[in-house]
Amino acid sequence: MNSAPDSYIWASLILLGPLALVAVYTDLKTMLIKNWTNGAFAAIAFVLILVFLGWQPLLYHLLFAVCLMILLYFPAYFGQLGGGDWKMFGGVALSLGFWSFAEYGLLLAACTIIVLLLHRAIGAFVRPRDPEQTWKSFHKPRHFPFGVTIGLSYVLYVIYLLL
């Protein structure tokens, strides 16, 4: 149910896609998503919405992002969701808005299952060969780099919108 113009979607792919992929890489490697990545993502999304969609959609997108972050605050506070993941969700919610985020959620669920299975399978092989533990996500068996799923599914969803 996306009504955003193609120019907004292209700009999101070109400007936000690389930041989402940086989040994927850093979360996989360090189990952290840097604040500058999430801050830049949200700031660029803010400007893109303002330029391509206008003030009123920006207010709706902001309201939705704030509501989602309030909802996800408690899982983040109690350690069930990483702080970087929480902030990344806020940036993605700002970029997509309510209706697109609802569609994105379906892709997010499918990607989560696939990435979880792949991460666990790859982790079985990487762990013995990585004595310096340079890929932290494979050395924390009870943790999952959810930022990988958030960023990857964002890029895939924006590409899907262009098809």
Side-chain angles (χ1 to χ4, degrees), residues 14-37:
I14 292 167
L15 297 174
L16 298 177
L19 286 170
L21 295 176
V22 166
V24 167
Y25 175 78
T26 58
D27 200 27
L28 194 59
K29 180 120 173 125
T30 65
M31 290 294 292
L32 296 169
I33 301 174
K34 305 287 185 184
N35 284 335
W36 71 264
T37 308

Side-chain angles (χ1 to χ4, degrees), residues 8 12 16 41 45 49 53 61 65 90-97 100 154 158:
Y8 173 74
S12 296
L16 298 177
F41 192 98
I49 294 166
L53 304 178
H61 283 233
V92 169
L94 176 63
S95 173
L96 296 178
S100 290
Y154 177 80
V158 173

